[in-house]
Amino acid sequence: MMTAMFGAVESGVIYAIMALGVYLSFRVLDFPDLTVDGSFVTGGAVASIMIVNGYDPFIATIFALFAGFLAGCMTGLLHTKGGINPLLSGILMMIALYSINLRIMGKPNVPLLAEETVITKIESWFASDWSIFLFMLIVTLMIKVLSDLFLKTEVGLSLRAVGDNEGMVRSFSANTGWMKVLGLGLSNALVAFSGALVAQYNGFSDVGMGIGMIVIGLASVIIGEAVIGNSSIARATLAVVIGAVLYRIIVTLALRIEFLDTGDMKLITAIIVIIALIMPKVLDKQKAAARKKKRLVQLNGEGGGPVA
Amino acid sequence: MLEMTQIFKVFYEGTPDEKIALNKVDLSMRPGDFVTVIGSNGAGKSTLMNVISGKLVPDVGTVMIDGGNMTSLPEHKRAVKIGRVFQDPMAGTAPTMTIEENLAIAYNRTKKRSLGFGVTKKRRDFYREKLEMLHLGLEDRLQAKVGLLSGGERQALSLLMATFTDPKILLLDEHTAALDPARAELITNLTKEIVRKLGLTTLMVTHNMQQALDLGNRLIMMDKGQIIFEADEQEKQELTIEKLLAEFQKIKGGGGLSDRSLLS
């Protein structure tokens, strides 16, 4: 049980980078970007094929980041220059990336078990059970802090405003089209970076490993916001990181139920997201009803006797 | 400062819904001019605004601002020279961002956006000083989210954001129409004060005739895509609502039958 939990937290920290990417597109830009399902694999594909061909795993992971950036920019261009609806541009890019990822890898699955990866390198530097977790935690928190800082720069502010009120930013001379392209590029760069790390962590990269990734990202964002809140940027990004870890823990717990097996994972994910989306509304309604009851009791108490 | 010549804009051309929104409109504004625009719904006032701001491209005609030809320049590029306040108080601000962050976005209207912080200590003092001009106490709420402000406060903030970077032209699109009378008066007075202090060249659309008479040094009346009446500085001082209505009747009735003659 403990080892399973530790594994959940460990991989949760790596998936948190992907969730931060989803936060950038979904929350900051208000752009539901399905490219994620494809760019996550692109990251894994680029990194693993470079590692297999003898490149340094750290350099391979950085290249994965750039590949994701390009994929995100393409989606942005389809939407802004091509005038295609946001959802559809993401779906088109996701489908296109499926074939591109196959081309990059040359086959549906590239094993990395015999290769030197970022993970094996870290393990060889710091021989401890905690080394992977701590290293990934530092990397993830660094990305979180960098995102926080970026979103406070002049460019970052107008990027946020694009998701908030596009007409307003345009009237203050920001090129909203390029802002979206940049935002989607950065978002998918993080997603691909996470994909590259996940592939090395799992010891293989698979063309199907991105299926449902956007939903996992959303689940992390929504769970995090429900638990931590999103009153400021720093808090919202922290919520995303914690949400990603919580998601992994919930899935690990769910899989311990005998009746469920690993094939049910996507269903569990979907149910978690549905619950996380509906619960706040149900709670609000209950709170409102409780308030109403209290107010009625107050009124009746002063007026003496119930009102007919 | 603004020079519009022979502007033509037709919507739904070639269909039964065809509508000539602007019909050979010429408008020229000198630096410091404050022109108020009145006219009924569908007269072409908003189209006129949108052609200036670049939201719409005219079918024919040229738009010159500050000596440069802007006719085919996209909206965000023209915005370097134009400040705008919209009718909807929600439209001019970003609700989930703080007051100081909104001001930082406005601050960048005339400058290229960099990777420096939008809100620094020095800038914050500058924003606070500007907010004091509104007399609404917003200078003490720099970190409040704009979504929490009332409609009047938001519109005052929008007005400040549009003006504190000295636009070449200020466009006000019925910017008090969505407010209650007290708030509308507040915004009207702020407008008067800010425009005078900065000497801004301003074009204001309004449905409120009294407001159109009180503000500005020139007045134009639009109907069916044309400027049908124009009052210069001297003429405007003598104008009253009655005179304006009479003028409107004369021009509208002049061409053909009035309602009264049809009925009798």
Side-chain angles (χ1 to χ4, degrees), chain A residues 24-26 28-33 35 69-81 83-87 89 150 155 158-167 169-170 174-188:
Chain A
L24 268 186
S25 58
F26 184 68
V28 174
L29 278 180
D30 196 18
F31 190 113
D33 178 25
T35 316
F69 182 78
L70 288 180
C73 289
M74 269 311 293
T75 306
L77 288 173
L78 285 180
H79 170 59
T80 56
K81 301 286 163 199
I84 301 172
N85 156 301
L87 263 180
S89 7
F150 169 70
V155 174
S158 47
L159 195 80
R160 281 161 63 194
V162 167
D164 217 4
N165 184 348
E166 200 178 336
V169 220
R170 212 179 295 128
N175 188 335
T176 51
W178 283 117
M179 285 291 159
K180 282 187 187 173
V181 173
L182 174 70
L184 290 172
L186 291 175
S187 158
N188 283 290

Side-chain angles (χ1 to χ4, degrees), chain A residues 149-150 152-155 157-158 160-161 164-165 167-175 179 230-232, chain B residues 75-76 79 84 90-97 101-102 105 108-109 113-116 118 123 145 161:
Chain A
L149 292 177
F150 169 70
K152 287 195 171 121
T153 62
E154 292 177 350
V155 174
L157 284 175
S158 47
R160 281 161 63 194
D164 217 4
N165 184 348
M168 170 256 187
V169 220
R170 212 179 295 128
S171 83
F172 290 113
S173 83
N175 188 335
M179 285 291 159
N230 57 353
S231 53
S232 68
Chain B
E75 205 180 341
H76 67 268
R84 253 194 299 171
M90 308 285 184
T93 47
T96 68
M97 298 171 72
E101 287 170 341
N102 269 277
I105 292 168
N108 276 127
R109 187 175 59 78
R113 286 173 167 78
S114 74
L115 284 175
R123 291 250 198 110
K145 295 226 166 116
M161 283 163 62

Side-chain angles (χ1 to χ4, degrees), chain A residues 17-231:
Chain A
I17 301 170
M18 180 274 298
L20 281 170
V22 171
Y23 168 78
L24 268 186
S25 58
F26 184 68
R27 278 286 187 250
V28 174
L29 278 180
D30 196 18
F31 190 113
D33 178 25
L34 298 187
T35 316
V36 169
D37 276 23
S39 59
F40 187 78
V41 187
T42 307
V46 168
S48 46
I49 214 67
M50 283 180 72
I51 290 171
V52 169
N53 284 311
Y55 285 91
D56 182 88
F58 287 97
I59 291 173
T61 310
I62 297 296
F63 265 85
L65 186 119
F66 285 116
F69 182 78
L70 288 180
C73 289
M74 269 311 293
T75 306
L77 288 173
L78 285 180
H79 170 59
T80 56
K81 301 286 163 199
I84 301 172
N85 156 301
L87 263 180
L88 191 54
S89 7
I91 293 174
L92 287 171
M93 204 54 209
M94 174 184 90
I95 283 296
L97 281 175
Y98 187 88
S99 300
I100 295 171
N101 295 335
L102 265 179
R103 278 278 175 195
I104 295 174
M105 295 197 289
K107 53 190 171 183
N109 190 303
V110 178
L112 293 170
L113 288 173
E115 308 291 335
E116 185 171 53
T117 65
V118 168
I119 306 291
T120 59
K121 276 209 166 185
I122 296 165
E123 276 171 341
S124 71
W125 291 341
F126 318 97
S128 155
D129 290 345
W130 292 83
S131 57
I132 302 295
F133 170 71
L134 287 177
F135 184 84
M136 289 303 163
L137 187 68
I138 290 168
V139 170
T140 305
L141 289 181
M142 254 167 57
I143 290 175
K144 174 216 169 318
V145 170
L146 281 178
S147 312
D148 292 349
L149 292 177
F150 169 70
L151 290 173
K152 287 195 171 121
T153 62
E154 292 177 350
V155 174
L157 284 175
S158 47
L159 195 80
R160 281 161 63 194
V162 167
D164 217 4
N165 184 348
E166 200 178 336
M168 170 256 187
V169 220
R170 212 179 295 128
S171 83
F172 290 113
S173 83
N175 188 335
T176 51
W178 283 117
M179 285 291 159
K180 282 187 187 173
V181 173
L182 174 70
L184 290 172
L186 291 175
S187 158
N188 283 290
L190 293 185
V191 171
F193 185 69
S194 173
L197 291 176
V198 166
Q200 295 172 66
Y201 181 77
N202 290 344
F204 66 91
S205 129
D206 187 273
V207 76
M209 72 189 222
I211 297 173
M213 205 43 69
I214 178 73
V215 186
I216 295 176
L218 289 183
S220 311
V221 172
I222 294 164
I223 293 171
E225 282 177 350
V227 177
I228 309 287
N230 57 353
S231 53

